[in-house]
Amino acid sequence: MINRTRIRDALKATEPMESVTVMGWVRTRRDAKDFSFVDLNDGSCLSGLQVILPGDLPDYDRWIGEITTGASLQVQGHLVASQGKGQRWELQASAVQLMGRSDASYPLQKKRHSPEFMREMAHLRPRSNLFGSVFRVRSRLAQAVHRFFSERDFFYIHTPIITASDCEGAGELFRVTTLDPSRGGDPTKDFFGKPSYLTVSGQLAAETFACALSNVYTFGPTFRAENSNTSRHASEFWMIEPEMAFCDLGGDMDLAEAFVKYLIQDTLDQSAEEMAFFDAFVDKGLLERLRWILERPFERVAYTQAVDILLQSGQRFEYPVQHGLNLQSEHERFLTESHFKGPITVYDYPKAIKPFYMRANDDGQTVAAMDVLVPGIGEIVGGSQREERLEVLESQLRAHDLSLEDYSWYLDLRRYGSVPHSGFGMGFERMLMFLTGVTNIRDVIPFARTPGHASF
RNA sequence: UCCAGAGUAGCUCAAUGGUAGAGCAAUCGGCUGUUAACCGAUCGGUUGUUGGUUCGAGUCCAACCUCUGGAGCCA
């Protein structure tokens, strides 16, 4: 295949280039008197390259009509300074090859489309400015996650996607089976000899590795069979879960906050063009908000303080504010959007509303849990110090009606050389929403899976 | 799953219970170093589905489907 120049590189040129070959998809064509302008995009960056197709190219009149929106082209030519305004470089074509036609039924138009409409054609939407940008940023964000942990000497652990432990009761699980549903379902005859599921969290597995390699993280797909129909829940999503031995809740919060800031900074640095686009067309004020967050420390509020703030706010809430009750979305909203006007970390939650594995505090009422809440999205990080005391953990399992036998391997970590350890989970897509200003999780996942939807 | 709102041309939206329209897109033509180009023309409809009320339903009623916003569960 011909050595092609990516449009991103062509646009970064510092001087004219002889004989450049680019390939991409036509966004628009505008005909001038003796030539045509083509806006060609190859996805390497948000901007397209302006291509000039001179009218004296062989058989121009025969093929120019086929250079339509959506068509794929190979163009050879000279990269020269643009005579027009709006772009620095343009490609004066000397040869054009139509690779793939695109007829009038091509659904993407030059004008702006609603995200809802674009969702109906998830296979074509990455060719749009918005979704192309979202998925370029998504890729860079994933790389940044690995870089952050790599720089801090964390080991990346591939925890299993199929699991036999219905761990921590974190939502409904998808059953994995090879049994014929019409012939009954004896789990002992199933593929793994017992009921198995898609993972809802890699945490427990990560804990075992933290209690050996010290600092580890997982980053992979996670599945919840909840019938959630909201803009921030998906049945299949990606989660990042670091786990640190010899680390208490304070260290956990330090890491979570540093992580959020790192990802913001990295995205601003590496995706400047896309971020400017989001700021202009998706969420005005996005850049200002993110920069402001970078500059200041996260506010840390104990759960009881947070409740006091809500009680004293004079604000009317639909749901009651009361010590011991979970914070509702509207409460989190008030705290992040109205009171603190930025991300906050709420810690030391009531024991009764948190899972069994969180470390009991000395007050007997609370556990060493923490949530990082951000404006617009709510919970973006949830974590805790883990209960490392064997007897306490056993009594917690019993209190939650969980089988000690099923968790024997988990209890072994406390039986043999137990250490204080902590970790958290971050929803990758929620972070991406926070960074791009895109308000629906379905628009930051290439092919979203939600209740009733597994198309494409 | 619950509450609310919305489904009309390819898209975004109009239309007192009385002849279904505009802008954009597409197609054709014109003009032009254009860039969400511009100007003119053409094309474009089982008004989400089914049933009901009515002389007459896009409009009113019922059920269902889909989407959106909010809630719960959470990341």
PDB file of all heavy atoms in Angstrom, chain A residues 217-249:
ATOM      1  N   TYR A 217      -3.424  -2.607  40.279  1.00  0.00           N
ATOM      2  CA  TYR A 217      -4.710  -2.081  39.813  1.00  0.00           C
ATOM      3  C   TYR A 217      -5.257  -2.998  38.732  1.00  0.00           C
ATOM      4  O   TYR A 217      -4.507  -3.743  38.095  1.00  0.00           O
ATOM      5  CB  TYR A 217      -4.570  -0.655  39.279  1.00  0.00           C
ATOM      6  CG  TYR A 217      -3.825  -0.539  37.965  1.00  0.00           C
ATOM      7  CD1 TYR A 217      -4.509  -0.306  36.763  1.00  0.00           C
ATOM      8  CD2 TYR A 217      -2.440  -0.665  37.907  1.00  0.00           C
ATOM      9  CE1 TYR A 217      -3.828  -0.193  35.559  1.00  0.00           C
ATOM     10  CE2 TYR A 217      -1.758  -0.553  36.698  1.00  0.00           C
ATOM     11  CZ  TYR A 217      -2.458  -0.317  35.530  1.00  0.00           C
ATOM     12  OH  TYR A 217      -1.784  -0.222  34.349  1.00  0.00           O
ATOM     13  N   THR A 218      -6.562  -2.935  38.589  1.00  0.00           N
ATOM     14  CA  THR A 218      -7.211  -3.621  37.477  1.00  0.00           C
ATOM     15  C   THR A 218      -7.869  -2.552  36.624  1.00  0.00           C
ATOM     16  O   THR A 218      -8.201  -1.474  37.108  1.00  0.00           O
ATOM     17  CB  THR A 218      -8.307  -4.599  37.938  1.00  0.00           C
ATOM     18  OG1 THR A 218      -9.464  -3.851  38.319  1.00  0.00           O
ATOM     19  CG2 THR A 218      -7.851  -5.436  39.100  1.00  0.00           C
ATOM     20  N   PHE A 219      -8.047  -2.847  35.364  1.00  0.00           N
ATOM     21  CA  PHE A 219      -8.734  -1.925  34.464  1.00  0.00           C
ATOM     22  C   PHE A 219      -9.350  -2.789  33.381  1.00  0.00           C
ATOM     23  O   PHE A 219      -8.662  -3.274  32.501  1.00  0.00           O
ATOM     24  CB  PHE A 219      -7.731  -0.917  33.880  1.00  0.00           C
ATOM     25  CG  PHE A 219      -8.334   0.075  32.917  1.00  0.00           C
ATOM     26  CD1 PHE A 219      -9.706   0.291  32.854  1.00  0.00           C
ATOM     27  CD2 PHE A 219      -7.513   0.822  32.087  1.00  0.00           C
ATOM     28  CE1 PHE A 219     -10.254   1.214  31.983  1.00  0.00           C
ATOM     29  CE2 PHE A 219      -8.043   1.748  31.198  1.00  0.00           C
ATOM     30  CZ  PHE A 219      -9.420   1.945  31.143  1.00  0.00           C
ATOM     31  N   GLY A 220     -10.639  -3.021  33.498  1.00  0.00           N
ATOM     32  CA  GLY A 220     -11.253  -3.909  32.526  1.00  0.00           C
ATOM     33  C   GLY A 220     -12.759  -3.777  32.535  1.00  0.00           C
ATOM     34  O   GLY A 220     -13.334  -2.965  33.272  1.00  0.00           O
ATOM     35  N   PRO A 221     -13.412  -4.585  31.716  1.00  0.00           N
ATOM     36  CA  PRO A 221     -14.861  -4.516  31.617  1.00  0.00           C
ATOM     37  C   PRO A 221     -15.550  -5.054  32.861  1.00  0.00           C
ATOM     38  O   PRO A 221     -15.029  -5.951  33.528  1.00  0.00           O
ATOM     39  CB  PRO A 221     -15.181  -5.386  30.395  1.00  0.00           C
ATOM     40  CG  PRO A 221     -14.033  -6.316  30.276  1.00  0.00           C
ATOM     41  CD  PRO A 221     -12.836  -5.592  30.803  1.00  0.00           C
ATOM     42  N   THR A 222     -16.682  -4.501  33.154  1.00  0.00           N
ATOM     43  CA  THR A 222     -17.462  -4.836  34.339  1.00  0.00           C
ATOM     44  C   THR A 222     -18.916  -4.911  33.906  1.00  0.00           C
ATOM     45  O   THR A 222     -19.325  -4.184  33.014  1.00  0.00           O
ATOM     46  CB  THR A 222     -17.277  -3.727  35.393  1.00  0.00           C
ATOM     47  OG1 THR A 222     -15.886  -3.502  35.574  1.00  0.00           O
ATOM     48  CG2 THR A 222     -17.898  -4.101  36.705  1.00  0.00           C
ATOM     49  N   PHE A 223     -19.655  -5.812  34.529  1.00  0.00           N
ATOM     50  CA  PHE A 223     -21.021  -6.071  34.049  1.00  0.00           C
ATOM     51  C   PHE A 223     -22.026  -5.999  35.191  1.00  0.00           C
ATOM     52  O   PHE A 223     -21.814  -6.589  36.244  1.00  0.00           O
ATOM     53  CB  PHE A 223     -21.076  -7.450  33.395  1.00  0.00           C
ATOM     54  CG  PHE A 223     -20.046  -7.636  32.325  1.00  0.00           C
ATOM     55  CD1 PHE A 223     -18.775  -8.098  32.633  1.00  0.00           C
ATOM     56  CD2 PHE A 223     -20.326  -7.302  31.012  1.00  0.00           C
ATOM     57  CE1 PHE A 223     -17.806  -8.250  31.649  1.00  0.00           C
ATOM     58  CE2 PHE A 223     -19.362  -7.448  30.023  1.00  0.00           C
ATOM     59  CZ  PHE A 223     -18.104  -7.919  30.343  1.00  0.00           C
ATOM     60  N   ARG A 224     -23.096  -5.298  34.953  1.00  0.00           N
ATOM     61  CA  ARG A 224     -24.173  -5.230  35.950  1.00  0.00           C
ATOM     62  C   ARG A 224     -25.499  -5.458  35.228  1.00  0.00           C
ATOM     63  O   ARG A 224     -25.817  -4.766  34.269  1.00  0.00           O
ATOM     64  CB  ARG A 224     -24.196  -3.856  36.635  1.00  0.00           C
ATOM     65  CG  ARG A 224     -22.865  -3.448  37.275  1.00  0.00           C
ATOM     66  CD  ARG A 224     -22.764  -3.860  38.734  1.00  0.00           C
ATOM     67  NE  ARG A 224     -21.389  -3.731  39.219  1.00  0.00           N
ATOM     68  CZ  ARG A 224     -20.911  -2.684  39.889  1.00  0.00           C
ATOM     69  NH1 ARG A 224     -21.708  -1.675  40.178  1.00  0.00           N
ATOM     70  NH2 ARG A 224     -19.658  -2.657  40.286  1.00  0.00           N
ATOM     71  N   ALA A 225     -26.240  -6.426  35.732  1.00  0.00           N
ATOM     72  CA  ALA A 225     -27.520  -6.758  35.101  1.00  0.00           C
ATOM     73  C   ALA A 225     -28.672  -5.971  35.718  1.00  0.00           C
ATOM     74  O   ALA A 225     -29.808  -6.405  35.700  1.00  0.00           O
ATOM     75  CB  ALA A 225     -27.785  -8.257  35.204  1.00  0.00           C
ATOM     76  N   GLU A 226     -28.361  -4.803  36.273  1.00  0.00           N
ATOM     77  CA  GLU A 226     -29.399  -3.952  36.855  1.00  0.00           C
ATOM     78  C   GLU A 226     -30.297  -3.391  35.765  1.00  0.00           C
ATOM     79  O   GLU A 226     -29.825  -3.043  34.690  1.00  0.00           O
ATOM     80  CB  GLU A 226     -28.750  -2.779  37.598  1.00  0.00           C
ATOM     81  CG  GLU A 226     -27.987  -3.158  38.836  1.00  0.00           C
ATOM     82  CD  GLU A 226     -28.917  -3.531  39.980  1.00  0.00           C
ATOM     83  OE1 GLU A 226     -30.111  -3.225  39.883  1.00  0.00           O
ATOM     84  OE2 GLU A 226     -28.431  -4.126  40.950  1.00  0.00           O
ATOM     85  N   ASN A 227     -31.568  -3.286  36.062  1.00  0.00           N
ATOM     86  CA  ASN A 227     -32.473  -2.644  35.110  1.00  0.00           C
ATOM     87  C   ASN A 227     -32.441  -1.136  35.343  1.00  0.00           C
ATOM     88  O   ASN A 227     -33.424  -0.529  35.731  1.00  0.00           O
ATOM     89  CB  ASN A 227     -33.886  -3.196  35.271  1.00  0.00           C
ATOM     90  CG  ASN A 227     -34.785  -2.755  34.136  1.00  0.00           C
ATOM     91  OD1 ASN A 227     -34.313  -2.192  33.148  1.00  0.00           O
ATOM     92  ND2 ASN A 227     -36.070  -2.979  34.271  1.00  0.00           N
ATOM     93  N   SER A 228     -31.275  -0.564  35.086  1.00  0.00           N
ATOM     94  CA  SER A 228     -31.099   0.875  35.273  1.00  0.00           C
ATOM     95  C   SER A 228     -31.286   1.581  33.949  1.00  0.00           C
ATOM     96  O   SER A 228     -30.639   1.233  32.971  1.00  0.00           O
ATOM     97  CB  SER A 228     -29.698   1.195  35.787  1.00  0.00           C
ATOM     98  OG  SER A 228     -29.444   0.570  37.004  1.00  0.00           O
ATOM     99  N   ASN A 229     -32.167   2.547  33.938  1.00  0.00           N
ATOM    100  CA  ASN A 229     -32.355   3.343  32.726  1.00  0.00           C
ATOM    101  C   ASN A 229     -32.039   4.797  33.027  1.00  0.00           C
ATOM    102  O   ASN A 229     -32.923   5.603  33.228  1.00  0.00           O
ATOM    103  CB  ASN A 229     -33.791   3.205  32.221  1.00  0.00           C
ATOM    104  CG  ASN A 229     -34.026   1.847  31.602  1.00  0.00           C
ATOM    105  OD1 ASN A 229     -33.473   1.554  30.544  1.00  0.00           O
ATOM    106  ND2 ASN A 229     -34.812   1.021  32.263  1.00  0.00           N
ATOM    107  N   THR A 230     -30.766   5.097  33.071  1.00  0.00           N
ATOM    108  CA  THR A 230     -30.356   6.463  33.333  1.00  0.00           C
ATOM    109  C   THR A 230     -29.246   6.839  32.364  1.00  0.00           C
ATOM    110  O   THR A 230     -28.717   6.002  31.642  1.00  0.00           O
ATOM    111  CB  THR A 230     -29.798   6.645  34.760  1.00  0.00           C
ATOM    112  OG1 THR A 230     -28.439   6.205  34.785  1.00  0.00           O
ATOM    113  CG2 THR A 230     -30.595   5.859  35.777  1.00  0.00           C
ATOM    114  N   SER A 231     -28.894   8.111  32.382  1.00  0.00           N
ATOM    115  CA  SER A 231     -27.857   8.590  31.473  1.00  0.00           C
ATOM    116  C   SER A 231     -26.461   8.239  31.972  1.00  0.00           C
ATOM    117  O   SER A 231     -25.485   8.510  31.296  1.00  0.00           O
ATOM    118  CB  SER A 231     -27.981  10.102  31.318  1.00  0.00           C
ATOM    119  OG  SER A 231     -27.952  10.713  32.589  1.00  0.00           O
ATOM    120  N   ARG A 232     -26.348   7.635  33.146  1.00  0.00           N
ATOM    121  CA  ARG A 232     -25.006   7.338  33.652  1.00  0.00           C
ATOM    122  C   ARG A 232     -24.818   5.886  34.081  1.00  0.00           C
ATOM    123  O   ARG A 232     -23.891   5.566  34.803  1.00  0.00           O
ATOM    124  CB  ARG A 232     -24.637   8.292  34.792  1.00  0.00           C
ATOM    125  CG  ARG A 232     -25.721   8.459  35.799  1.00  0.00           C
ATOM    126  CD  ARG A 232     -25.446   9.529  36.835  1.00  0.00           C
ATOM    127  NE  ARG A 232     -26.321   9.288  37.938  1.00  0.00           N
ATOM    128  CZ  ARG A 232     -27.639   9.505  37.907  1.00  0.00           C
ATOM    129  NH1 ARG A 232     -28.189  10.025  36.827  1.00  0.00           N
ATOM    130  NH2 ARG A 232     -28.389   9.213  38.932  1.00  0.00           N
ATOM    131  N   HIS A 233     -25.698   5.004  33.626  1.00  0.00           N
ATOM    132  CA  HIS A 233     -25.525   3.576  33.887  1.00  0.00           C
ATOM    133  C   HIS A 233     -25.506   2.784  32.584  1.00  0.00           C
ATOM    134  O   HIS A 233     -26.298   3.049  31.692  1.00  0.00           O
ATOM    135  CB  HIS A 233     -26.671   3.036  34.744  1.00  0.00           C
ATOM    136  CG  HIS A 233     -26.640   3.515  36.157  1.00  0.00           C
ATOM    137  ND1 HIS A 233     -27.207   4.701  36.546  1.00  0.00           N
ATOM    138  CD2 HIS A 233     -26.086   2.979  37.267  1.00  0.00           C
ATOM    139  CE1 HIS A 233     -27.011   4.860  37.856  1.00  0.00           C
ATOM    140  NE2 HIS A 233     -26.336   3.840  38.312  1.00  0.00           N
ATOM    141  N   ALA A 234     -24.636   1.798  32.524  1.00  0.00           N
ATOM    142  CA  ALA A 234     -24.607   0.889  31.384  1.00  0.00           C
ATOM    143  C   ALA A 234     -24.455  -0.526  31.924  1.00  0.00           C
ATOM    144  O   ALA A 234     -23.957  -0.725  33.037  1.00  0.00           O
ATOM    145  CB  ALA A 234     -23.450   1.235  30.455  1.00  0.00           C
ATOM    146  N   SER A 235     -24.877  -1.504  31.137  1.00  0.00           N
ATOM    147  CA  SER A 235     -24.785  -2.892  31.580  1.00  0.00           C
ATOM    148  C   SER A 235     -23.347  -3.391  31.479  1.00  0.00           C
ATOM    149  O   SER A 235     -22.952  -4.295  32.207  1.00  0.00           O
ATOM    150  CB  SER A 235     -25.687  -3.772  30.719  1.00  0.00           C
ATOM    151  OG  SER A 235     -26.973  -3.213  30.654  1.00  0.00           O
ATOM    152  N   GLU A 236     -22.607  -2.814  30.559  1.00  0.00           N
ATOM    153  CA  GLU A 236     -21.202  -3.175  30.376  1.00  0.00           C
ATOM    154  C   GLU A 236     -20.399  -1.891  30.395  1.00  0.00           C
ATOM    155  O   GLU A 236     -20.663  -0.990  29.596  1.00  0.00           O
ATOM    156  CB  GLU A 236     -21.024  -3.895  29.029  1.00  0.00           C
ATOM    157  CG  GLU A 236     -19.595  -4.236  28.692  1.00  0.00           C
ATOM    158  CD  GLU A 236     -19.477  -4.897  27.315  1.00  0.00           C
ATOM    159  OE1 GLU A 236     -20.185  -5.880  27.068  1.00  0.00           O
ATOM    160  OE2 GLU A 236     -18.707  -4.395  26.486  1.00  0.00           O
ATOM    161  N   PHE A 237     -19.491  -1.775  31.327  1.00  0.00           N
ATOM    162  CA  PHE A 237     -18.678  -0.571  31.410  1.00  0.00           C
ATOM    163  C   PHE A 237     -17.289  -0.940  31.893  1.00  0.00           C
ATOM    164  O   PHE A 237     -17.040  -2.092  32.232  1.00  0.00           O
ATOM    165  CB  PHE A 237     -19.332   0.467  32.341  1.00  0.00           C
ATOM    166  CG  PHE A 237     -19.465   0.023  33.773  1.00  0.00           C
ATOM    167  CD1 PHE A 237     -18.550   0.431  34.736  1.00  0.00           C
ATOM    168  CD2 PHE A 237     -20.503  -0.804  34.159  1.00  0.00           C
ATOM    169  CE1 PHE A 237     -18.670   0.024  36.062  1.00  0.00           C
ATOM    170  CE2 PHE A 237     -20.628  -1.222  35.480  1.00  0.00           C
ATOM    171  CZ  PHE A 237     -19.715  -0.811  36.423  1.00  0.00           C
ATOM    172  N   TRP A 238     -16.411   0.021  31.872  1.00  0.00           N
ATOM    173  CA  TRP A 238     -15.028  -0.248  32.263  1.00  0.00           C
ATOM    174  C   TRP A 238     -14.731   0.423  33.590  1.00  0.00           C
ATOM    175  O   TRP A 238     -15.151   1.550  33.833  1.00  0.00           O
ATOM    176  CB  TRP A 238     -14.051   0.219  31.178  1.00  0.00           C
ATOM    177  CG  TRP A 238     -14.026  -0.746  30.029  1.00  0.00           C
ATOM    178  CD1 TRP A 238     -15.091  -1.111  29.265  1.00  0.00           C
ATOM    179  CD2 TRP A 238     -12.904  -1.486  29.549  1.00  0.00           C
ATOM    180  NE1 TRP A 238     -14.695  -2.037  28.325  1.00  0.00           N
ATOM    181  CE2 TRP A 238     -13.355  -2.276  28.470  1.00  0.00           C
ATOM    182  CE3 TRP A 238     -11.550  -1.540  29.909  1.00  0.00           C
ATOM    183  CZ2 TRP A 238     -12.501  -3.132  27.756  1.00  0.00           C
ATOM    184  CZ3 TRP A 238     -10.712  -2.381  29.196  1.00  0.00           C
ATOM    185  CH2 TRP A 238     -11.190  -3.169  28.132  1.00  0.00           C
ATOM    186  N   MET A 239     -14.032  -0.311  34.421  1.00  0.00           N
ATOM    187  CA  MET A 239     -13.766   0.215  35.749  1.00  0.00           C
ATOM    188  C   MET A 239     -12.280   0.066  36.071  1.00  0.00           C
ATOM    189  O   MET A 239     -11.634  -0.894  35.679  1.00  0.00           O
ATOM    190  CB  MET A 239     -14.627  -0.514  36.793  1.00  0.00           C
ATOM    191  CG  MET A 239     -14.577   0.111  38.170  1.00  0.00           C
ATOM    192  SD  MET A 239     -16.054  -0.253  39.140  1.00  0.00           S
ATOM    193  CE  MET A 239     -15.949  -2.009  39.302  1.00  0.00           C
ATOM    194  N   ILE A 240     -11.786   1.053  36.784  1.00  0.00           N
ATOM    195  CA  ILE A 240     -10.396   1.073  37.220  1.00  0.00           C
ATOM    196  C   ILE A 240     -10.395   0.876  38.726  1.00  0.00           C
ATOM    197  O   ILE A 240     -11.074   1.615  39.436  1.00  0.00           O
ATOM    198  CB  ILE A 240      -9.748   2.432  36.892  1.00  0.00           C
ATOM    199  CG1 ILE A 240      -9.846   2.714  35.394  1.00  0.00           C
ATOM    200  CG2 ILE A 240      -8.305   2.474  37.376  1.00  0.00           C
ATOM    201  CD1 ILE A 240     -10.067   4.160  35.075  1.00  0.00           C
ATOM    202  N   GLU A 241      -9.669  -0.150  39.182  1.00  0.00           N
ATOM    203  CA  GLU A 241      -9.681  -0.429  40.611  1.00  0.00           C
ATOM    204  C   GLU A 241      -8.262  -0.642  41.154  1.00  0.00           C
ATOM    205  O   GLU A 241      -7.723  -1.747  41.075  1.00  0.00           O
ATOM    206  CB  GLU A 241     -10.534  -1.682  40.879  1.00  0.00           C
ATOM    207  CG  GLU A 241     -12.005  -1.477  40.569  1.00  0.00           C
ATOM    208  CD  GLU A 241     -12.802  -2.767  40.683  1.00  0.00           C
ATOM    209  OE1 GLU A 241     -12.651  -3.637  39.807  1.00  0.00           O
ATOM    210  OE2 GLU A 241     -13.559  -2.885  41.658  1.00  0.00           O
ATOM    211  N   PRO A 242      -7.681   0.407  41.716  1.00  0.00           N
ATOM    212  CA  PRO A 242      -6.388   0.234  42.386  1.00  0.00           C
ATOM    213  C   PRO A 242      -6.584  -0.344  43.784  1.00  0.00           C
ATOM    214  O   PRO A 242      -7.638  -0.161  44.396  1.00  0.00           O
ATOM    215  CB  PRO A 242      -5.831   1.659  42.467  1.00  0.00           C
ATOM    216  CG  PRO A 242      -7.025   2.537  42.435  1.00  0.00           C
ATOM    217  CD  PRO A 242      -8.093   1.823  41.659  1.00  0.00           C
ATOM    218  N   GLU A 243      -5.580  -1.028  44.233  1.00  0.00           N
ATOM    219  CA  GLU A 243      -5.618  -1.611  45.575  1.00  0.00           C
ATOM    220  C   GLU A 243      -4.205  -1.519  46.145  1.00  0.00           C
ATOM    221  O   GLU A 243      -3.239  -1.923  45.489  1.00  0.00           O
ATOM    222  CB  GLU A 243      -6.076  -3.069  45.483  1.00  0.00           C
ATOM    223  CG  GLU A 243      -6.543  -3.676  46.776  1.00  0.00           C
ATOM    224  CD  GLU A 243      -7.856  -3.095  47.297  1.00  0.00           C
ATOM    225  OE1 GLU A 243      -8.728  -2.718  46.483  1.00  0.00           O
ATOM    226  OE2 GLU A 243      -7.997  -3.005  48.530  1.00  0.00           O
ATOM    227  N   MET A 244      -4.101  -0.978  47.353  1.00  0.00           N
ATOM    228  CA  MET A 244      -2.777  -0.727  47.936  1.00  0.00           C
ATOM    229  C   MET A 244      -2.649  -1.355  49.309  1.00  0.00           C
ATOM    230  O   MET A 244      -3.470  -1.091  50.195  1.00  0.00           O
ATOM    231  CB  MET A 244      -2.539   0.780  48.083  1.00  0.00           C
ATOM    232  CG  MET A 244      -2.496   1.520  46.765  1.00  0.00           C
ATOM    233  SD  MET A 244      -2.525   3.298  47.036  1.00  0.00           S
ATOM    234  CE  MET A 244      -4.230   3.545  47.476  1.00  0.00           C
ATOM    235  N   ALA A 245      -1.601  -2.142  49.475  1.00  0.00           N
ATOM    236  CA  ALA A 245      -1.290  -2.656  50.807  1.00  0.00           C
ATOM    237  C   ALA A 245      -0.590  -1.564  51.599  1.00  0.00           C
ATOM    238  O   ALA A 245      -0.005  -0.643  51.028  1.00  0.00           O
ATOM    239  CB  ALA A 245      -0.399  -3.888  50.688  1.00  0.00           C
ATOM    240  N   PHE A 246      -0.648  -1.670  52.903  1.00  0.00           N
ATOM    241  CA  PHE A 246       0.008  -0.709  53.803  1.00  0.00           C
ATOM    242  C   PHE A 246      -0.494   0.704  53.539  1.00  0.00           C
ATOM    243  O   PHE A 246       0.272   1.661  53.475  1.00  0.00           O
ATOM    244  CB  PHE A 246       1.540  -0.776  53.647  1.00  0.00           C
ATOM    245  CG  PHE A 246       2.060  -2.176  53.575  1.00  0.00           C
ATOM    246  CD1 PHE A 246       2.538  -2.708  52.374  1.00  0.00           C
ATOM    247  CD2 PHE A 246       2.040  -2.993  54.704  1.00  0.00           C
ATOM    248  CE1 PHE A 246       2.992  -4.003  52.305  1.00  0.00           C
ATOM    249  CE2 PHE A 246       2.504  -4.303  54.632  1.00  0.00           C
ATOM    250  CZ  PHE A 246       2.981  -4.813  53.435  1.00  0.00           C
ATOM    251  N   CYS A 247      -1.780   0.814  53.340  1.00  0.00           N
ATOM    252  CA  CYS A 247      -2.353   2.109  53.003  1.00  0.00           C
ATOM    253  C   CYS A 247      -3.682   2.267  53.726  1.00  0.00           C
ATOM    254  O   CYS A 247      -4.513   1.359  53.704  1.00  0.00           O
ATOM    255  CB  CYS A 247      -2.561   2.198  51.499  1.00  0.00           C
ATOM    256  SG  CYS A 247      -3.308   3.743  50.952  1.00  0.00           S
ATOM    257  N   ASP A 248      -3.870   3.414  54.371  1.00  0.00           N
ATOM    258  CA  ASP A 248      -5.134   3.660  55.064  1.00  0.00           C
ATOM    259  C   ASP A 248      -6.041   4.537  54.206  1.00  0.00           C
ATOM    260  O   ASP A 248      -5.720   4.873  53.068  1.00  0.00           O
ATOM    261  CB  ASP A 248      -4.890   4.283  56.451  1.00  0.00           C
ATOM    262  CG  ASP A 248      -4.208   5.640  56.345  1.00  0.00           C
ATOM    263  OD1 ASP A 248      -4.117   6.192  55.223  1.00  0.00           O
ATOM    264  OD2 ASP A 248      -3.754   6.143  57.394  1.00  0.00           O
ATOM    265  N   LEU A 249      -7.173   4.928  54.795  1.00  0.00           N
ATOM    266  CA  LEU A 249      -8.145   5.685  54.015  1.00  0.00           C
ATOM    267  C   LEU A 249      -7.578   7.025  53.535  1.00  0.00           C
ATOM    268  O   LEU A 249      -7.872   7.466  52.422  1.00  0.00           O
ATOM    269  CB  LEU A 249      -9.414   5.933  54.840  1.00  0.00           C
ATOM    270  CG  LEU A 249     -10.565   6.557  54.055  1.00  0.00           C
ATOM    271  CD1 LEU A 249     -11.125   5.583  53.026  1.00  0.00           C
ATOM    272  CD2 LEU A 249     -11.671   7.045  54.994  1.00  0.00           C
TER     273      LEU A 249
END
